[in-house]
Amino acid sequence: MGNALKSVVAFFPSSWCQRYLLGDGVDELPPDKTMDLSGKHLRTFPLQVCAFTELVKLYLSNNNLRSLPPELHLLGCLQVLALDFNRFKELPQAVCRLRQLSALYLGNNDLSDLPAELSSLTELKTLWMEGNCFEQIPRVVSELKHLRVLHAGCNQLTELPRELWRLGELQNIWLAGNSFSEFPKVLLQIDSLEIIDVDRNSIRTFPSLERMKHLKLVIYDRNPCKSGPRVGEEVRRVGKWADYRPEAAAGLQEEAREELEGNEDVETTGVSEDPASVRE
């Protein structure tokens, strides 16, 4: 009675089958108010879960789900919902009625759009939508004003909507593995950003990111650029030329020259004229 049998009984959502799939604890609310039904080969959502109205976290990752029942809205206390690695082509409307959601994981499905009703999730802070079929970020995402983490890697994105600047609390944005040919300039308008990941795109030039005062990390590796983005002194860069900043090197060179010129006993012939020889 292994995985093959589990796949077969998933076609028949009888109480016995569901009990076999979910385990013996399905009749009681877990003490931590967390239920993990990941990897259970589910093809239909077990309705008895909706009886646990105090549930806070529900993990449905790595199943074969294509839809969710309207009764899902009964889980009014739900804060974390993981639907990644399923077969959703549309986000079920019932999800948009879970007003307490703070984290929603939709990665690795077949989604190409999100419903306008998603804007009702006013508490949403984390949205993972990587590994889907998005050719653009749905405009409704720009209405999630408290969003802090947006993971949209591994889609077919070529640009970001102008409205994204409205996300005044956004801290981390992950855009790796898309089709950007230019750095999304709307990101320059989001002062709260701390992490920007544009790894594995087709970006050839970068604007200066020096004025992004909260920026801590920029990942730009595997782009056909000829130089890395200019950033502030405390910002870490991951990519080619990450350890070389011409402006910093030039400053160090000038300091070295002044020091040497002020000391008559020091030979000045050892000072390189090439900024590339000076590293931070």
Side-chain angles (χ1 to χ4, degrees):
M1 296 193 9
N3 292 337
L5 179 56
K6 288 185 178 182
S7 298
V8 172
V9 298
F11 281 106
F12 306 99
S14 67
S15 59
W16 181 89
C17 291
Q18 293 293 353
R19 191 157 46 248
Y20 171 72
L21 289 168
L22 305 181
D24 295 332
V26 72
D27 295 327
E28 297 180 3
L29 179 68
D32 59 358
K33 298 182 181 180
T34 298
M35 184 171 291
D36 189 354
L37 303 180
S38 301
K40 299 291 187 179
H41 301 275
L42 297 175
R43 292 181 180 271
T44 58
F45 180 79
L47 280 175
Q48 60 264 47
V49 173
C50 297
F52 304 132
T53 56
E54 297 182 8
L55 204 62
V56 173
K57 300 178 181 179
L58 177 58
Y59 298 94
L60 295 167
S61 307
N62 195 23
N63 281 295
N64 296 301
L65 297 172
R66 298 174 184 268
S67 63
L68 295 173
E71 290 82 358
L72 188 74
H73 83 275
L74 296 174
L75 303 178
C77 297
L78 209 60
Q79 297 178 18
V80 177
L81 178 60
L83 301 175
D84 46 326
F85 291 95
N86 277 282
R87 299 188 179 185
F88 293 102
K89 292 186 177 182
E90 296 180 352
L91 183 67
Q93 287 288 336
V95 174
C96 301
R97 300 179 65 185
L98 301 172
R99 303 298 175 84
Q100 297 301 314
L101 272 187
S102 62
L104 178 59
Y105 299 92
L106 303 174
N108 296 280
N109 279 282
D110 296 313
L111 298 169
S112 58
D113 201 1
L114 295 174
E117 290 80 2
L118 191 71
S119 62
S120 63
L121 301 183
T122 56
E123 300 298 319
L124 199 64
K125 296 179 175 63
T126 299
L127 177 60
W128 285 53
M129 45 187 282
E130 81 285 1
N132 278 282
C133 305
F134 292 100
E135 295 183 358
Q136 58 185 3
I137 297 288
R139 295 190 182 276
V140 66
V141 173
S142 302
E143 300 178 28
L144 303 172
K145 296 184 179 181
H146 295 299
L147 200 64
R148 296 180 182 176
V149 177
L150 176 59
H151 198 319
C154 299
N155 283 285
Q156 292 92 49
L157 303 176
T158 58
E159 59 182 2
L160 296 180
R162 296 178 181 178
E163 295 83 0
L164 210 67
W165 67 268
R166 296 174 182 170
L167 300 181
E169 298 182 16
L170 190 65
Q171 297 176 349
N172 306 339
I173 187 164
W174 307 85
L175 300 170
N178 278 286
S179 301
F180 291 98
S181 59
E182 296 182 356
F183 182 83
K185 293 184 179 180
V186 67
L187 299 182
L188 301 175
Q189 303 178 47
I190 306 178
D191 293 334
S192 56
L193 277 175
E194 297 180 1
I195 297 176
I196 298 175
D197 180 4
V198 289
D199 184 21
R200 289 178 286 124
N201 278 279
S202 301
I203 302 173
R204 294 185 176 277
T205 60
F206 285 89
S208 173
L209 307 182
E210 293 175 295
R211 295 187 178 181
M212 302 187 74
K213 57 185 178 180
H214 292 104
L215 195 61
K216 297 178 180 178
L217 173 64
V218 181
I219 305 173
Y220 64 94
D221 204 13
R222 288 171 283 186
N223 279 279
C225 52
K226 295 182 178 180
S227 63
R230 299 168 67 99
V231 296
E233 293 184 1
E234 302 299 323
V235 180
R236 182 188 174 196
R237 302 189 301 180
V238 176
K240 203 172 182 181
W241 311 283
D243 59 347
Y244 171 57
R245 300 175 188 168
E247 67 281 4
L252 288 173
Q253 182 189 21
E254 185 62 29
E255 290 178 8
R257 280 178 177 166
E258 292 177 356
E259 182 178 349
L260 290 171
E261 289 173 358
N263 189 341
E264 296 178 355
D265 298 328
V266 178
E267 292 287 340
T268 60
T269 55
V271 181
S272 172
E273 297 298 326
D274 181 8
S277 64
V278 184
R279 304 288 182 176
E280 288 187 306

